[in-house]
């Protein structure tokens, strides 16, 4: 407990990550995505202008500008003035009237994420279909002398779609904000970083003969381990409280959203259970690293690199839902993913003990097997 | 107090034995020196006595009881003082003593008494509140020893307890070891400093390659050996005289102007000086007498480097 620098690192590192990442990811994770765009209308017919008007009504599209020609359109995209330019080809209206399929081109900034490109493309497609349908009804109305048909789709917008996540009891909840994602993620990451001070203590004891002295004094090995386990579990729990407080009160002061804890004692108890399970996994992992490392420098490298790999795979650095579908199953390999899943169960889905039990059990098992490996390696080294 | 009987120990089945039939008899209230080059088997022997490793072959008895039974009856009676500073530098001197006394399971009052006694024994009262990591080398050595005394042991296993300290601290530590033995405690003392062993030990065993090469009292070891003679001459020994002496002293060794006799009787000294004078050879330097502990040690363990 007197290693003030080591302790400070265990609290300052996640605090900085939570602050920075919650603010940095606030837009991409929570805000409505809007895009500035331009239209290059090479057809200049009522039909092409109707398409232009349809796009203007889409909430996700923020700014409407007209490009003079294709060179101007490309310049606007490259300069970052707009995210994309819709090119309506010459003869667009005539192709619709001739029952041919017109080709609409969209010029995108190459840095635009593919998922975003697809989203915008689908919105343009919807607007184009509505324009085509309006024109088709208008022509049909002219043919059957029923001009009112044209108005059949006027004023009809696409149905509003609201994204929600569902809880186990059938209630619905808002999607997680950046701070709800980042507080547990960086808390888990920092809890696993007890590997560095703990392994330094353990290796120091081994190298200086303190462990030999303790064993010569017939100190039970369980007591030696408990002497490491208890203080670091306490530190982990203090990390949990401090990081939740930072998310709750400090992040809003910096302009981010406030971290919210679940309502009800059972969800809070579940959260605590997950936090204890993460401690068990982290301390077991630290003792395993301490038993395979020959020096504290080696433990720092092995433990630090191991944590970063677990964090990268486990959705700490990049949230799992942002990863491509093919990568998402791989996150299950990391104990940090199990921990994040446990926290999400309690935090986002208001889960009870039963809901967090799979994640908590997996973490405790991981800690137990890591501890057993450490004991085995320790005994082998002594003999 | 301690009978070590034909002890064998191997770290791996196929490896050479770390201990190969070691037998020693260590009396209560004595300081027993254990000498040997690096890798000789000293640390293995200490580990077995401390109960850190299981016995494989042979036996150790204390007061006639097998080691395991004796330890079970007297759990804190053997204390190991490792060569390194085996304590917590982030804790104060008093906290270290309290911690190591605490893990031995003493009741609070007895723990306090043991800690106070250990603190006084090592004269550490003045630095009781200081962090162990801030102490000088000498004070750290004293704390290392004091921690070993928190269990009020009967047997103290000291592994090179004076490495890296100034002469004053070394003197203090040696006196402390003597005081412990004078109060009835038994000490097994390993060191590479021969003068320390000569100053503090009653009996000594020299071990190498896992075997006891020599064991006994210091007096017997130093003075029981035959006297040796070494002459440094002004010029090489004349060939005629050398041939005569080789006949009379077959173990004689010569090298340039040096002549050495591993065993030489005192009554033969006067005749060889007369013969040298007759050949006109002056003697520049002469050494005669029984070898000291270091010479015995080097002679037994040979001179080659071990690491």
């Amino acid at each position: 407990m007197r290693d003030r620098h080591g302790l400070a690192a265990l609290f300052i590192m996640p605090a900085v990550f939570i602050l920075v990442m919650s603010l940095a990811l606030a837009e991409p994770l929570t805000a409505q995505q809007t895009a500035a765009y331009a239209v290059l209308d090479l057809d200049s017919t009522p039909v092409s202008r109707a398409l232009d008007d349809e796009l203007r009504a889409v909430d996700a599209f923020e700014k409407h500008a007209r490009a003079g020609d294709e060179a101007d359109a490309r310049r606007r995209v490259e300069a970052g003035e707009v995210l994309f330019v819709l090119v309506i080809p010459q003869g667009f209206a005539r192709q619709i009237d001739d029952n041919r399929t017109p080709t609409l081109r969209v010029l995108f900034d190459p840095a635009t994420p593919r998922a975003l490109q697809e989203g915008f493309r689908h919105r343009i497609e919807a607007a184009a279909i509505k324009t085509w349908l309006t024109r088709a009804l208008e022509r049909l109305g002219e043919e059957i002398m029923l001009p009112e048909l044209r108005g059949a789709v006027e004023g009809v917008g696409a149905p509003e779609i609201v994204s929600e996540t569902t809880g186990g009891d059938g209630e619905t909840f808002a999607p997680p904000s950046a701070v709800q994602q980042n507080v547990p993620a960086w808390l888990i990451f920092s809890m696993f970083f007890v590997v560095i001070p703990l392994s330094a203590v353990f290796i120091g004891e081994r190298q200086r003969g303190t462990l030999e002295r303790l064993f010569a004094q017939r100190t039970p090995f369980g007591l030696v381990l408990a002497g490491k386990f208890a203080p670091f579990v306490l530190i982990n729990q203090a990390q949990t409280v401090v990081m939740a407080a930072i998310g709750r009160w400090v992040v809003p002061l910096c302009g981010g959203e406030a971290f919210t804890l679940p309502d009800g004692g059972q969800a809070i108890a579940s959260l605590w259970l997950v936090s204890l399970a993460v401690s068990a996994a982290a301390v077991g992992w630290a003792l395993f690293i301490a038993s395979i490392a020959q020096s504290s420098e080696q433990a720092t490298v092995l433990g630090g690199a191991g944590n970063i790999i677990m964090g990268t795979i486990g959705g700490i650095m990049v949230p799992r839902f942002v990863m491509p579908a093919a990568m998402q199953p791989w996150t299950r390999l990391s104990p940090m993913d199990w921990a994040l899943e446990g926290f999400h169960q309690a935090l986002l889905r208001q889960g009870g003990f039963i809901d967090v039990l799979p994640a908590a059990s997996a973490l405790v098992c991981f800690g137990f097997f890591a501890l057993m490996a450490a004991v085995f390696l320790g005994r082998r080294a002594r003999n | 107090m301690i009978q070590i009987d034909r002890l064998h120990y191997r770290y791996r089945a196929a490896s050479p034995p770390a201990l190969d039939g070691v037998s020693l008899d260590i009396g209560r209230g004595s300081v027993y020196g254990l000498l040997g080059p690096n890798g000789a088997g000293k640390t293995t022997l200490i580990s077995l006595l401390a109960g850190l490793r299981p016995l494989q072959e042979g036996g150790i008895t204390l007061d006639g009881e097998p080691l395991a039974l004796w330890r079970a009856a007297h759990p804190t009676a053997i204390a190991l003082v490792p060569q390194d500073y085996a304590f917590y530098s982030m804790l104060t001197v008093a906290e270290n003593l309290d911690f190591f006394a605490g893990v031995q399971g003493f009741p609070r009052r007895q723990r306090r008494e043991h800690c106070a006694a250990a603190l006084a024994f090592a004269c550490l009262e003045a630095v009781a509140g200081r962090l162990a990591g801030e102490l000088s080398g000498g004070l750290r050595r004293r704390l290392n020893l004091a921690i070993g005394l928190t269990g009020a042991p009967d047997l103290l296993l000291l592994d090179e307890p004076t490495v890296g300290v100034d002469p004053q601290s070394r003197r203090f530590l040696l006196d402390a070891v003597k005081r412990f033995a004078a109060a009835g405690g038994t000490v097994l003392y390993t060191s590479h400093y021969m003068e320390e062993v000569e100053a503090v030990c009653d009996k000594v065993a020299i071990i190498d390659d896992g075997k006891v090469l020599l064991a006994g009292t210091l007096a017997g070891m130093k003075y029981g050996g035959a006297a040796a003679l070494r002459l440094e001459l002004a010029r090489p020994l004349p060939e005629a005289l050398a041939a005569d002496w080789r006949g009379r002293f077959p173990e004689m060794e010569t090298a340039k102007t040096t002549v050495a006799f591993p065993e030489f009787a005192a009554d033969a000294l006067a005749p060889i000086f007369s013969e040298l004078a007759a050949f006109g050879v002056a003697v520049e330097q002469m050494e005669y007498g029984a070898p000291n502990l270091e010479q015995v040690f080097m002679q037994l363990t040979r001179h080659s480097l071990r690491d």
Side-chain angles (χ1 to χ4, degrees):
Chain A
M1 292 288 183
R2 293 213 174 122
D3 181 10
R4 294 193 179 93
H5 295 102
L7 277 178
L10 287 177
F11 286 88
I12 291 171
M13 179 190 74
V16 170
F17 272 127
I18 286 169
L19 273 175
V20 173
M21 301 305 278
S22 296
L23 298 174
L25 294 177
E27 279 285 306
L29 289 188
T30 57
Q32 176 72 35
Q33 296 289 304
T34 56
Y37 76 105
V39 169
L40 174 57
D41 186 357
L42 299 174
D43 196 39
S44 287
T45 58
V47 176
S48 67
R49 279 193 289 277
L51 173 60
D52 195 352
D53 292 342
E54 283 297 333
L55 285 175
R56 207 186 303 217
V58 176
D59 289 341
F61 296 161
E62 189 184 59
K63 179 182 162 190
H64 188 85
R66 286 183 179 279
D69 54 25
E70 183 149 343
D72 178 44
R74 289 182 182 278
R75 186 196 59 74
R76 282 170 183 263
V77 173
E78 283 164 19
E81 289 176 23
V82 292
L83 201 61
F84 68 91
V85 175
L86 172 65
V87 181
I88 304 174
Q90 198 172 14
F92 174 69
R94 197 178 57 248
Q95 285 175 317
I96 286 178
D97 288 346
D98 293 349
N99 285 331
R100 286 184 286 142
T101 307
T103 301
L104 293 169
R105 287 189 300 134
V106 185
L107 307 177
F108 269 111
D109 179 354
T112 308
R114 191 168 176 80
L116 220 53
Q117 289 185 24
E118 286 299 308
F120 292 141
R121 202 175 67 79
H122 290 144
R123 296 223 173 186
I124 293 166
E125 201 171 54
I129 287 170
K130 190 177 175 189
T131 306
W132 170 80
L133 186 60
T134 306
R135 178 60 188 150
L137 288 173
E138 186 182 358
R139 281 174 52 212
L140 182 63
E142 284 169 7
E143 283 178 20
I144 63 171
M145 306 295 282
L146 195 61
E148 291 80 11
L149 266 180
R150 187 188 188 284
V153 291
E154 275 182 354
V156 176
E160 189 184 4
I161 300 167
V162 177
S163 297
E164 290 178 345
T165 55
T166 58
D169 55 1
E171 290 184 61
T172 59
F173 302 94
S177 66
V179 75
Q180 295 295 106
Q181 162 69 24
N182 280 298
V183 167
W186 295 108
L187 170 64
I188 292 162
F189 193 63
S190 65
M191 286 169 92
F192 271 83
F193 258 91
V194 296
V195 67
I196 291 174
L198 200 160
S199 58
V201 168
F202 205 73
I203 289 168
E205 284 182 337
R206 199 172 64 207
Q207 288 180 337
R208 285 193 301 270
T210 314
L211 276 184
E212 277 202 336
R213 167 173 255 161
L214 287 169
F215 293 139
Q217 288 179 328
R218 302 177 73 80
T219 310
F221 189 50
L223 186 60
V224 173
L225 286 180
K228 312 283 171 293
F229 202 87
F232 281 98
V233 168
L234 276 178
I235 289 169
N236 277 166
Q237 300 317 303
Q239 283 177 305
T240 305
V241 173
V242 171
M243 295 315 132
I246 286 172
R248 178 75 183 84
W249 288 293
V250 181
V251 173
L253 287 178
C254 300
E257 287 186 37
F259 177 69
T260 53
L261 286 167
D263 296 328
Q266 204 193 16
I268 294 284
S270 305
L271 202 61
W272 187 56
L273 176 67
V274 175
S275 176
L276 283 175
V278 178
S279 277
V283 175
W285 162 248
L287 289 171
F288 171 72
I289 290 293
S291 67
I292 60 169
Q294 301 298 313
S295 64
S296 51
E297 290 83 2
Q298 206 177 55
T300 303
V301 173
L302 282 174
N307 281 358
I308 290 168
I309 291 169
M310 281 198 281
T312 308
I313 296 173
I316 302 294
M317 276 79 169
V318 180
R320 192 203 308 158
F321 60 83
V322 173
M323 292 180 184
M327 268 190 78
Q328 290 188 13
W330 292 97
T331 61
R332 301 292 184 200
L333 294 175
S334 168
M336 289 194 192
D337 174 77
W338 314 339
L340 201 54
E341 179 62 24
F343 274 119
H344 281 174
Q345 280 287 354
L347 278 171
L348 305 178
R349 299 172 197 131
Q350 310 259 335
F353 272 114
I354 299 297
D355 300 308
V356 300
L357 210 52
S361 306
L363 287 164
V364 170
C365 284
F366 173 79
F368 177 76
F369 284 115
L371 184 65
M372 287 301 105
V375 170
F376 172 75
L377 291 169
R379 283 197 179 142
R380 200 176 67 170
R382 283 208 302 280
N383 294 321
Chain B
M1 180 195 187
I2 309 171
Q3 281 79 42
I4 298 170
D5 185 27
R6 287 166 291 176
L7 214 53
H8 292 260
Y9 192 87
R10 283 177 199 271
Y11 284 92
R12 302 270 185 277
S15 62
L19 294 177
D20 190 6
V22 169
S23 294
L24 295 173
D25 192 351
I26 302 170
R28 183 180 288 280
S30 68
V31 182
Y32 201 102
L34 200 56
L35 294 175
N38 293 334
K42 305 186 297 291
T43 304
T44 307
L45 181 56
I46 283 187
S47 299
L48 292 172
L49 280 166
L52 296 174
R53 299 179 187 285
L55 295 180
Q56 291 176 348
E57 200 181 325
I60 300 175
T61 54
L62 288 99
D63 297 333
E65 270 191 278
L67 175 64
L69 289 178
W70 194 84
R71 288 292 318 251
H74 310 89
T76 64
I78 297 180
L80 170 68
V81 178
Q83 181 183 345
D84 293 305
Y85 300 126
F87 48 74
Y88 297 97
S89 54
M90 295 279 189
L91 299 182
T92 65
V93 168
E95 286 168 344
N96 265 296
L97 291 169
D98 189 55
F99 170 78
F100 284 101
V103 294
Q104 294 177 86
F106 292 114
R108 184 184 292 268
R109 190 174 156 197
Q110 201 176 359
R111 195 167 81 198
R112 273 207 300 267
E113 286 171 4
H114 286 187
C115 288
L119 206 61
F121 187 88
C123 287
L124 289 169
E125 296 98 328
V127 293
R130 278 177 61 187
L131 290 179
E134 293 174 354
L135 300 177
S136 66
L139 286 170
R140 287 182 196 207
R141 282 282 162 216
R142 281 152 61 184
L143 174 59
N144 215 23
L145 175 65
I147 290 169
L149 301 173
T150 52
D154 290 332
L155 172 61
L156 205 51
L157 306 171
L158 298 179
D159 192 2
E160 302 191 37
T162 62
V163 172
V165 298
D166 59 36
Q168 286 80 6
S169 295
R170 172 169 294 141
R171 174 51 51 199
F172 178 89
L173 288 164
L174 296 180
D175 288 344
V177 170
K178 283 183 190 171
R179 273 189 285 138
F180 179 79
T186 307
V187 180
L188 187 62
Y189 190 99
T190 76
S191 177
H192 286 131
Y193 300 116
M194 302 296 162
E195 70 278 16
E196 268 184 19
V197 173
E198 286 181 282
V200 78
C201 295
D202 307 303
K203 279 185 165 182
V204 172
I206 296 175
I207 66 171
D208 196 12
D209 293 329
K211 294 187 176 76
V212 176
L213 302 179
L214 190 65
T217 61
L218 270 172
M221 203 171 276
K222 285 167 66 179
Y223 307 114
L229 173 66
R230 185 176 164 279
L231 299 171
E232 198 64 49
L233 307 175
R235 62 186 174 88
L237 193 65
E239 193 48 46
L241 189 57
D244 177 34
W245 283 6
R246 278 196 194 97
R248 288 153 57 196
F249 309 108
E251 292 181 351
M252 181 188 77
E253 294 169 2
T254 58
K256 294 184 180 172
T257 58
T258 304
V259 184
F261 304 87
E263 289 184 27
F264 203 90
D267 56 5
L269 280 171
I272 67 158
F273 275 94
S274 302
E275 289 164 25
L276 284 170
F279 276 86
V281 179
V283 176
E284 292 189 337
Q285 199 178 348
M286 182 190 106
E287 285 176 21
Y288 182 72
N292 61 23
L293 187 58
E294 183 162 356
Q295 286 168 326
V296 172
F297 178 81
M298 295 303 280
Q299 198 177 338
L300 287 169
T301 60
R302 299 175 298 281
H303 292 251
S304 57
L305 285 171
R306 300 307 174 90
D307 292 332

